[in-house]
Each structure stands twice: as C-alpha cells, then as structure tokens.
Amino acid sequence: MSTILITGGAGFIGTNFILDWVKNTDENIVNLDKLTYAGNLHNLVSLTNNPQHIFVQGDICDSERISTLLERYQPRAIIHMAAESHVDRSIHGPEYFIQTNITGTFRLLEAARHYWGDLSVSRKENFRFLHVSTDEVFGTLTKDAPAFTENHCFQPNSPYSASKASSDCLVRAYHHTYGLPVLTTHCSNNYGAYQFPEKLIPLMIVNALAGKPLPVYGDGQQIRDWLYVNDHCQAIRVVLEKGQPGETYNIGGWNEKSNLEIIHTICDVLQQFQQKDYRALITHVADRPGHDRRYAINAHKIERELGWRPLETFETGIRKTIQWYLENHDWVAEVQSGDYRKWVEINYTGRSQ
Ligand code: NAD
Ligand code: DAU
C-alpha cells in the first residue's frame, strides 16, 4: 500500500490536512508528532478505527526514530509541518524554536537523505520531501510595496521566522548538494477549525464568547493575508503531485486585511449569532516587540504553473470558522486547561493598555 509520512499532523494545519487526505485519497498517512502543547490527538478521534491513519508519537530531533519509521513504512513522500509556530512564544522562549525548527528539520533531512539514497531508481525519482514554510521568512512590507514573490530575499525579524528561514536554507542545500527532491511552500496566515486559541482569530473568538477583553497589539493596523486552512491543504496536495523538485511556491489567500478589520468582522458575525455587542470588548495593549507591519503573498506562480487558486472568500471562511468554535465548546474548554492559562498570563499580564 502506498504511504506518505507527515510530521506535526496533530497540530492545526496537520489535522486539517489529514482529515482532507483521508476524505480525498486511499493512500495511508503516517503521522509523526511529539504532541507538544499544540498537538492534540483528540482532533483525529474520528480516525481511531481507520487503518489509513497511523499515529506515532515522536520527536523530529530523534534521528533513530525517524530512520526506523522510514524503513518500516517506506513512504513515497514526507510532508514536513512539525514546528514551533507561535511568534509570541518565540519572543518569550526562542530555544525550543531553534531545537525543533532548525535541528529537527536537519535531522529529518539527514534521515530522508539516507532513506532516499537506498531506494530503487524509479522510487528515488518519484520521492518528494515537501517542506511547509511561511511568508514570515521574507520579513515585513510597507503599505504599498508589492507582495512577496518566491524570489523576495529572506529578512526574518522574529526568532520564529529566523528559525523557519534557517530550515528553508537547509532544505534548499539538501537539494543542491545531494539532489534530494525537495519542494518548499511559503504560505500566509491560516485560519479555520482546530486552531489553537493562542493565534489571533481563535483567541478573539474564544475571548469574545467568554466576555473577556480582545487584546489588540499596538494600533491594530498590521496587515496579514488570510488563507482558509482547507484551501492551504488542497494547495499542498497539488504541490506534492505537480510541483517541480527544487522549486518554491507561495500560497496565499488574496485576502489582505488589518487586524482591526478582522476583529471587527468577528465581533459583527458573533453579534448576529448571539445578539451581544462584542466590539465593546476591544482593548489596545502594548505592541509585540519587532512586530512585522505587513505580509502579502503574490500567489501567481502556483496558479500559473500548477493551476491552484483558493476557493474560499474571507466572508465565507470566517463564518464557517466561527460556527465551528460555537459548536465545539468541549474542544475549546479542553485546550484552555492549565498550560494555556499559564501562557495567557505570561503573554498578556503586564501589557499596558
Ligand atoms: P501548530 O503549532 O498548530 O502545530 C505544530 C505541530 O507540530 C503540533 O502538533 C506539535 O505537537 C508538533 N511538533 C512540535 N514540535 C515537534 C517535534 N519536535 N517533533 C514532532 N512534532 C512536533 O502549527 P500549525 O499552525 O499547524 O503550522 C504547521 C506548519 O505550518 C508549521 O511548520 C508552521 O511554521 C507552518 N505555517 C503555519 C501558518 C499558520 O498560519 N498556522 C502559516 C504559515 C506556515
Ligand atoms: O504569516 C504566517 C504566520 O502566521 C505563520 O508562519 C505563523 O506560524 C502563524 O502563527 C502566523 O503568525 P502571526 O504572528 O501573523 O499570527 P498571530 O495569529 O500570532 O497574529 C496575527 C496578527 O495579530 C499579528 O499582527 C499580531 C496580532 N495579534 C495577535 C494576538 C495573538 C494581536 O493583535 N493580538 C493578539 O492577542
């Protein structure tokens, strides 16, 4: 049976990717995840008796574990998503980001290189290592500057984006030096079901529903390009099947919005559901240090070369997302247990208004 291996499949994008994968293909998917605070196996409970999904708890820094897995399951591709992913956490504690995002990616590449080197000629040719990266590696843009293309130089500004940029460089080097057939994607801000409520959109939804303040960093005029997670998952499948080894592809939503616009929309949609004035909860707090002002993705290459374009508009995607959080109180309550409360205290207590 043909198989792929995904890392970080119990996180936000990984969960959505696996659920879509099982819906859209017959191929097995092995999911290697350490289950950090961001990984949640309950997300995949609907697959408990489905042999197509094979879960393995483990760390991408553990070379032996990865090599054993590759030998055992003989995947035709690796989709590498495992990472420490939250910018604010990287500011408070960068060490984990260096370990997982740089060392972890290096160890995974090394194991993949040895595994790939021993494959038969045809399996070697068809093998792919798809690295999921971010638009944050390109740094920040002024309001009117053209959107990032794949050729934009790397200018990462946070420990998170610096660690992702380093991992991208390693992936690139493994292609140029060893010929490993790699693909790299740079995507913009995702939103949708199962996103941990440390990120802007789910944080605003769960705080609003709990009647808590909605903390806007600085003036709230920072701009992000919002991509519905299921569109992103489809784009990754397209890149995996049709992408050219050694190439990089931007994935974006064509959906630039300021943080305040996002928060206002969430408040207004929630008000239609719950008849309360959520905008009154908006509170400006101290800005994020080194806060990037604007990200924007030029996603023409993936459309032109591989025929992918996002399907969801922000208006439809945000409604589906809010509906999901309204219908999944238990999930929200579970992820907001002990450690989450500690994080909220670390990040928000002491941010002056
Ligand atoms: P997430 O934080 O929700 O999930 C990360 C997953 O990786 C978790 O399940 C966690 O347990 C696992 N993990 C962490 N360290 C690990 C390790 N050492 N070994 C094995 N597993 C480990 O992240 P996400 O939002 O789903 O992002 C997935 C990928 O996409 C990341 O590489 C991130 O940099 C990238 N990305 C995310 C976004 C976004 O908006 N969420 C945008 C661009 C790029
Ligand atoms: O651009 C892609 C990146 O998007 C990914 O690589 C990262 O993994 C992902 O976390 C995300 O990074 P951001 O820093 O853009 O996302 P976040 O949701 O943390 O913040 C979005 C914007 O909202 C940012 O300008 C900071 C602001 N913000 C965030 C939080 C958590 C607030 O104003 N208040 C908040 O409480």
Side-chain angles (χ1 to χ4, degrees):
M1 171 52 99
S2 178
T3 299
I4 68 161
L5 170 72
I6 184 172
T7 68
F12 161 51
I13 300 173
T15 291
N16 284 285
F17 184 85
I18 290 173
L19 294 175
D20 279 0
W21 184 265
V22 167
K23 214 186 290 167
N24 289 297
T25 81
D26 293 329
E27 201 171 1
N28 285 345
I29 184 159
V30 176
N31 173 10
L32 173 67
D33 196 297
K34 185 178 175 182
L35 296 183
T36 66
Y37 78 93
N40 186 348
L41 254 197
H42 289 172
N43 297 353
L44 296 164
V45 73
S46 63
L47 304 180
T48 304
N49 295 316
N50 187 335
Q52 214 182 326
H53 172 239
I54 300 146
F55 178 73
V56 179
Q57 185 166 6
D59 191 329
I60 55 165
C61 297
D62 183 346
S63 306
E64 225 180 283
R65 182 118 178 122
I66 304 166
S67 298
T68 311
L69 268 186
L70 293 174
E71 278 314 310
R72 175 160 180 201
Y73 292 104
Q74 297 284 311
R76 69 165 175 100
I78 297 174
I79 312 243
H80 177 33
M81 286 193 193
E84 288 294 338
S85 70
H86 190 34
V87 174
D88 291 320
R89 286 191 195 246
S90 83
I91 294 167
H92 287 280
E95 182 89 33
Y96 288 119
F97 289 73
I98 305 307
Q99 188 59 21
T100 284
N101 300 0
I102 305 179
T103 306
T105 301
F106 161 68
R107 300 249 164 91
L108 189 65
L109 281 165
E110 266 297 90
R113 171 168 83 88
H114 290 296
Y115 165 74
W116 170 75
D118 289 340
L119 292 176
S120 65
V121 175
S122 71
R123 292 196 64 214
K124 212 170 167 175
E125 224 166 77
N126 292 325
F127 182 80
R128 298 287 181 270
F129 184 104
L130 191 158
H131 175 58
V132 176
S133 189
T134 170
D135 58 4
E136 297 198 17
V137 298
F138 299 125
T140 187
L141 291 169
T142 54
K143 204 167 185 333
D144 300 317
F148 301 128
T149 65
E150 286 78 1
N151 296 326
H152 200 95
C153 62
F154 279 15
Q155 288 181 316
N157 290 319
S158 71
Y160 163 70
S161 53
S163 68
K164 290 295 286 189
S166 308
S167 67
D168 292 5
C169 291
L170 283 168
V171 170
R172 177 189 157 89
Y174 271 64
H175 178 69
H176 282 266
T177 307
Y178 305 112
L180 189 70
V182 306
L183 299 156
T184 297
T185 57
H186 292 118
C187 75
S188 56
N189 287 59
N190 284 219
Y191 68 102
Y194 300 102
Q195 189 167 28
F196 193 76
E198 63 186 358
K199 309 279 165 67
L200 179 74
I201 288 184
L203 182 97
M204 293 299 155
I205 299 172
V206 305
N207 275 20
L209 289 173
K212 292 183 180 163
L214 307 180
V216 180
Y217 295 167
D219 63 3
Q221 295 305 327
Q222 303 82 3
I223 291 171
R224 299 289 183 267
D225 169 8
W226 293 94
L227 172 67
Y228 191 59
V229 67
N230 299 92
D231 275 333
H232 182 201
C233 294
Q234 208 232 340
I236 293 173
R237 293 205 303 274
V238 169
V239 173
L240 180 64
E241 299 321 326
K242 299 201 228 162
Q244 281 302 310
E247 289 293 317
T248 65
Y249 297 93
N250 281 355
I251 306 174
W254 298 109
N255 233 330
E256 279 187 62
K257 293 199 184 295
S258 73
N259 293 342
L260 264 180
E261 276 177 274
I262 297 288
I263 296 164
H264 286 157
T265 305
I266 292 172
C267 291
D268 297 348
V269 174
L270 276 175
Q271 187 165 17
Q272 290 163 20
F273 282 116
Q274 311 272 1
Q275 283 81 47
K276 285 189 192 153
D277 174 17
Y278 291 101
R279 284 196 186 208
L281 297 171
I282 293 174
T283 311
H284 286 262
V285 299
D287 209 349
R288 173 186 277 175
H291 201 169
D292 284 338
R293 200 67 185 161
R294 173 175 167 241
Y295 305 138
I297 277 277
N298 176 331
H300 281 310
K301 177 177 172 180
I302 188 172
E303 182 169 357
R304 193 177 58 242
E305 296 186 8
L306 309 184
W308 176 88
R309 215 189 137 78
L311 297 175
E312 205 73 45
T313 65
F314 188 72
E315 290 62 36
T316 55
I318 195 69
R319 279 187 171 273
K320 286 184 190 173
T321 305
I322 290 175
Q323 187 80 45
W324 188 87
Y325 281 89
L326 284 168
E327 286 168 1
N328 287 276
H329 296 287
D330 293 351
W331 184 93
V332 172
E334 194 206 310
V335 301
Q336 287 185 310
S337 63
D339 273 358
Y340 179 77
R341 276 187 232 123
K342 259 187 244 156
W343 165 248
V344 169
E345 219 174 287
I346 291 169
N347 195 41
Y348 295 98
T349 309
R351 269 186 194 268
S352 58
Q353 293 203 7

